[in-house]
């Protein structure tokens, strides 16, 4: 629905709508989508490096066995070097994409805050590259490796946000808001994103301290109860991720979903994203259980990392969309019962 | 920051660097008394069933020149355990012994370390070789902060020299070939041995006295959590004392 159609008498809104039409640049949006997709793929490759314990198979950085990274001969991409080296190469490619994206936004984007998002993503990816190098040179300290995992997720979410706001449908916020609590879906999705992100950091910390099997059974602990004997730090962090975190994320996702379906079911994008989040959550818990049952087999473990990123991305999408719906609503751009009543009067 | 503070810091750094060098060069000490010393000899026995050996496929690692590698975690023949590191833990009263100037050799051959377990006297040079036509990384992990390293070792590179300044069990692994690992027991004296394929070990030239003897095996650390008890032993001149160890695998 077009904003000018809703509010034909509001000249300011009409002006905004026409600038929106000028604003939408299909190639810029497609480029942002490609960047976000590549960020996601990079998280998967990074997950493979850790699953194969390949992080130190190339001891030097930014060089590779003394070679320039881009000229390191393919015949030497042997064993675990294959994972580490392709991660470095693909990361360089993603860094290039984000750099180009920042310049494209600077040149073709009209909204200054979107330009700033582009530069922020560039800063994030540069810091991410440095963290990656640091963790190699410092022999993978859990804090640096976990920070590298967390920042990777954050840059992915930022790329996703850029892809969203450069989209053609960004201005189409036609939901009639009937939610009684004005902060319901917004606060819930925000809290859920924070909790999921924390859960990913705890998961990374568990992974990089080799505590993934500190509680070797699931769903029950080896003592047959729900709570294991906390004999080590690994057991504690494992419990926080595999039990406490998993429960909190499930609870929050379903609470968010309840509000979305109750009050925002007419917003198709919000509803579909919520369904996707719930579906991914089911897949994620299954993958997590399989990871434990197979004693961290590479495929389920790495898919579990990627699915976690997908859930974070989906919930970020829900969060941004719900805040946007309300922001647009507050700016008087969408039909509400009050607005219609006001127009009729 | 004041110049005086910077000067003080740099002076401190220089002093640290100098003292570091001094400790590395002190190689004078007592020689092993092979005529009057006693001998400690024994066998390492595995209590309970032998864990199944793990096999790794070398896959596309053509430079390894082999199809698969059997893990050296448990090398057990007729219940006798190889690759156990036995050493005198207590009783030598911090006497200083001569440190050999000839290096101990650690080879990377067919993507396996030779030997899998070795002992070194604190300060003794270690020389790492690469006999393979493929590259490895040499990733040393030590409990002592600053001693760990991770270095590249491409094929054809000159041997790599190193030495240790702290005692303890050091781990070397190759992260390219995930199965490649080995252990170096570093002790401040020459009274140690590694059990052979028949589980036998012998420590010679031990000065007469009372000692605590300890055994380390790959299974005593990490997830196996195997248990070995330390032994009190009395060594007499020119005599052989038996000290058999048993490892209880869990
Ligand atoms: Cu290797």
């Amino acid at each position: 629905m077009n904003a000018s159609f809703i509010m034909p008498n509001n000249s300011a809104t009409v002006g905004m709508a026409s600038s929106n039409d000028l604003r939408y640049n299909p190639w810029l949006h497609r480029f942002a989508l490609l960047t976000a997709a590549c960020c996601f793929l990079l998280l998967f490759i990074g997950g493979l490096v850790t699953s194969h314990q390949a992080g130190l198979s190339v001891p030097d950085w930014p060089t590779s066995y003394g070679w320039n990274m881009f000229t390191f001969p393919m015949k030497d991409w042997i064993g675990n070097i294959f994972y580490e080296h392709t991660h470095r190469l693909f990361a360089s490619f993603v860094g290039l994409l984000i750099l180009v994206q920042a310049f494209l936004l600077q040149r073709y984007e009209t909204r200054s805050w979107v330009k700033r998002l582009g530069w922020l993503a560039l800063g994030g990816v540069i810091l991410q590259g440095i963290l990656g190098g640091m963790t190699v040179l410092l022999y993978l300290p859990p804090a640096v490796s976990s920070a590298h995992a967390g920042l990777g997720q954050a840059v992915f979410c930022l790329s996703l946000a850029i892809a969203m706001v450069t989209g053609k449908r960004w201005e189409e916020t036609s939901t009639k808001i009937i939610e009684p609590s004005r902060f319901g879906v917004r606060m819930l999705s925000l809290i859920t994103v924070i909790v999921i992100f924390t859960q990913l950091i705890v998961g990374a910390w568990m992974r990089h301290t080799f505590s993934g099997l500190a509680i070797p059974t699931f769903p029950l602990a080896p003592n047959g109860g729900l709570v294991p004997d906390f004999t080590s730090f690994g057991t504690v962090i494992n419990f926080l991720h595999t039990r406490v975190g998993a429960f909190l994320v499930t609870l929050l996702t379903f609470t968010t979903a309840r509000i979305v379906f109750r009050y925002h079911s007419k917003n198709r994008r919000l509803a579909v994203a919520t369904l996707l989040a719930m579906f991914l959550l089911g897949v994620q818990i299954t993958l997590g259980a399989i990871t434990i049952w197979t004693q961290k087999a590479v495929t389920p473990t790495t898919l579990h990392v990627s699915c976690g990123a997908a859930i974070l991305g989906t919930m970020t999408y829900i969060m941004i969309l719900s805040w946007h719906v309300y922001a647009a609503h507050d700016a008087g751009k969408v039909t509400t019962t009050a607005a219609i009543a006001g127009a009729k009067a | 920051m004041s110049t005086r503070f910077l000067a003080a810091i740099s002076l401190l750094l220089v002093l640290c660097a100098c003292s570091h060098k001094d400790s590395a060069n002190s190689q004078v000490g007592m020689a092993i008394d092979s005529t009057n010393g006693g001998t400690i000899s024994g066998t390492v026995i595995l209590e309970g069933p032998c864990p199944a050996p793990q096999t790794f496929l070398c896959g596309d690692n053509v430079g390894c020149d082999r199809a698969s590698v059997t893990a050296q975690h448990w090398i057990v023949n007729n219940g006798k355990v190889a690759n156990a590191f036995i050493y005198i833990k207590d009783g030598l009263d911090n006497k200083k012994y001569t440190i050999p100037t000839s290096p101990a050799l650690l080879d990377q051959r067919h993507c396996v370390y030779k030997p899998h377990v070795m002992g070194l006297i604190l300060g003794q040079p270690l020389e790492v070789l690469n006999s393979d036509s493929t590259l490895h990384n040499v990733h040393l992990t030590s409990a002592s902060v600053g001693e760990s390293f991770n270095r590249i070792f491409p094929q054809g590179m000159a041997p790599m020299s190193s030495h240790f300044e702290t005692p303890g069990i050091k781990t070397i692994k190759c992260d390219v070939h995930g199965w490649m690992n080995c252990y170096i027991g570093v002790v401040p004296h020459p009274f140690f041995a590694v059990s052979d394929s028949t589980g036998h070990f012998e420590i010679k030239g031990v000065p007469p006295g009372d000692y605590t003897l300890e055994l380390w095996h790959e299974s005593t650390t990490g997830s196996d959590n195997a248990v070995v008890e330390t032994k009190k032993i009395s060594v007499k001149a020119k005599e052989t004392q038996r000290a058999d160890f048993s490892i209880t695998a869990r």
Side-chain angles (χ1 to χ4, degrees):
Chain A
M1 207 184 290
N2 190 310
S4 60
F5 175 76
I6 303 163
M7 290 253 158
N9 297 328
N10 188 329
S11 58
T13 318
V14 174
M16 202 181 284
S18 57
S19 80
N20 287 337
D21 292 341
L22 282 175
R23 190 228 10 115
Y24 175 65
N25 182 326
W27 284 105
L28 191 59
H29 176 56
R30 278 170 206 156
F31 194 86
L33 279 177
L34 173 74
T35 306
C38 286
C39 281
F40 184 76
L41 188 57
L42 182 55
L43 287 174
F44 177 75
I45 300 175
L48 274 182
V49 171
T50 305
S51 297
H52 282 279
Q53 294 188 28
L56 292 177
S57 60
V58 182
D60 48 341
W61 181 89
T63 49
S64 297
Y65 281 86
W67 293 78
N68 175 310
M69 181 170 58
F70 302 105
T71 55
F72 182 52
M74 276 188 87
K75 72 165 177 62
D76 285 337
W77 298 14
I78 52 164
N80 284 337
I81 295 177
F82 176 80
Y83 302 104
E84 170 66 13
H85 194 63
T86 44
H87 179 53
R88 290 187 191 187
L89 287 181
F90 195 67
S92 310
F93 174 66
V94 169
L96 180 70
L97 284 182
I98 293 180
L99 175 78
V100 172
Q101 175 179 261
F103 278 104
L104 288 178
L105 288 171
Q106 188 64 35
R107 172 71 182 80
Y108 296 106
E109 175 59 54
T110 51
R111 297 162 294 177
S112 57
W113 62 274
V114 181
K115 291 180 187 179
R116 281 201 289 274
L117 281 186
W119 295 115
L120 188 64
L122 181 63
V125 82
I126 290 171
L127 187 62
Q128 176 68 346
I130 294 171
L131 270 181
M134 262 176 65
T135 205
V136 164
L137 297 180
L138 297 173
Y139 323 132
L140 314 182
V144 184
S145 289
S146 306
H148 184 63
L151 186 58
Q153 302 274 358
V155 172
F156 162 61
C157 288
L158 202 51
S159 307
L160 195 71
I162 293 172
M164 275 180 85
V165 303
T166 52
K168 189 178 186 182
R169 300 176 68 192
W170 175 245
E171 303 299 336
E172 292 176 23
T173 48
S174 55
T175 313
K176 195 162 113 184
I177 297 171
I178 53 164
E179 190 182 329
S181 158
R182 299 198 12 87
F183 285 94
V185 69
R186 280 188 287 184
M187 283 322 274
L188 263 173
S189 57
L190 175 65
I191 293 168
T192 311
V193 164
I194 293 170
V195 170
I196 293 174
F197 191 73
T198 312
Q199 168 75 342
L200 295 182
I201 299 284
V202 173
W205 191 270
M206 181 184 84
R207 196 159 143 79
H208 291 287
T209 51
F210 305 98
S211 317
L213 294 172
I215 305 173
T217 52
F218 187 85
L220 293 179
N223 61 17
L226 285 173
V227 182
D229 309 320
F230 293 110
T231 48
S232 61
F233 172 75
T235 336
V236 177
I237 188 120
N238 190 302
F239 186 73
L240 284 178
H241 181 77
T242 60
R243 312 300 204 270
V244 180
F247 173 75
L248 283 179
V249 169
T250 308
L251 183 74
L252 281 165
T253 304
F254 276 84
T255 313
T256 309
R258 200 171 143 258
I259 301 289
V260 167
F261 291 133
R262 186 151 178 197
Y263 299 113
H264 303 273
S265 56
K266 292 238 169 66
N267 188 325
R268 223 175 138 255
R269 279 180 289 167
L270 210 50
V272 168
T274 308
L275 279 175
L276 180 66
M278 289 198 299
F279 170 73
L280 288 174
L281 186 68
V283 173
Q284 180 68 345
I285 290 170
T286 312
L287 282 171
I290 295 173
T291 298
I292 298 172
W293 296 333
T294 59
Q295 293 178 13
K296 295 199 292 184
V298 167
T299 310
T301 309
T302 315
L303 287 177
H304 182 72
V305 172
S306 303
C307 192
I311 295 175
L312 178 72
T314 311
M315 198 44 78
T316 304
Y317 180 91
I318 293 169
M319 178 190 76
I320 293 175
L321 201 59
S322 63
W323 281 81
H324 181 56
V325 164
Y326 275 93
H329 172 263
D330 290 346
K333 290 199 296 174
V334 293
T335 331
T336 65
T337 340
I340 292 166
K344 275 178 184 166
Chain B
M1 219 184 292
S2 73
T3 11
R4 192 180 280 183
F5 180 71
L6 280 175
I9 290 283
S10 5
L11 186 67
L12 204 66
L13 284 173
V14 168
L15 283 175
C16 287
C18 290
S19 61
H20 187 77
K21 221 170 197 173
D22 286 349
S23 67
N25 286 341
S26 61
Q27 299 208 335
V28 279
M30 292 164 63
I32 300 176
D33 185 358
S34 47
T35 45
N36 282 319
T39 302
I40 305 168
S41 135
T43 305
V44 185
I45 301 150
L46 175 70
E47 297 283 343
C50 175
Q54 213 182 340
T55 302
F56 301 94
L57 297 176
C58 295
D60 59 350
N61 291 292
V62 283
C64 295
D65 262 343
R66 68 198 301 166
S68 67
V69 171
T70 305
Q72 291 167 293
H73 188 101
W74 286 107
I75 305 281
V76 184
N77 291 312
N78 299 322
K80 312 289 190 317
V81 185
N83 286 333
F85 179 68
I86 300 99
Y87 65 103
I88 292 181
K89 195 188 179 196
D90 277 318
L92 283 162
D93 301 330
N94 296 328
K95 287 189 195 94
K96 283 218 182 291
Y97 288 88
T98 311
I99 301 166
T101 45
S102 59
L105 297 181
L106 176 65
D107 195 8
Q108 303 168 93
R109 187 181 282 270
H110 300 311
C111 296
V112 166
Y113 290 103
K114 304 259 170 169
H116 183 61
V117 176
M118 68 193 286
L120 270 188
I121 305 174
L122 197 61
Q124 183 183 357
L126 169 74
E127 200 161 270
V128 188
L129 314 167
N130 181 5
S131 303
D132 283 336
S133 57
T134 189
L135 54 77
H136 300 284
N137 70 304
V138 181
H139 175 198
L140 176 106
T141 307
S142 160
S144 163
V145 183
E147 204 171 52
S148 303
F149 63 72
N150 186 18
R151 294 179 193 156
I152 62 170
F153 209 144
Q155 54 273 43
M157 198 178 88
M160 180 188 294
S161 293
S162 192
H163 73 271
F164 301 98
E165 299 202 5
T166 57
I169 304 289
K170 322 285 174 181
T171 311
I172 290 187
K173 76 184 294 270
C174 169
D175 300 279
V176 179
H177 309 102
W179 61 83
M180 278 179 80
N181 62 348
C182 71
Y183 301 88
I184 303 171
V186 181
V187 282
H189 56 73
F191 307 111
F192 57 80
V194 176
S195 64
D196 61 19
S197 57
T198 64
H200 178 75
F201 71 90
E202 202 166 72
I203 304 172
K204 284 181 173 169
V206 183
D210 296 331
Y211 303 107
T212 308
L213 204 58
E214 192 167 76
L215 179 145
W216 176 93
H217 181 260
E218 218 171 320
S219 62
T220 58
T221 45
S223 57
D224 287 330
N225 211 6
V227 181
V228 182
E229 287 184 355
T230 53
K231 280 197 184 308
K232 298 275 183 202
I233 190 165
S234 228
V235 175
K236 293 181 183 74
K238 298 178 185 176
E239 277 182 26
T240 297
Q241 282 293 323
R242 266 203 89 74
D244 293 334
F245 281 93
S246 55
I247 300 180
T248 312
R250 289 199 182 166

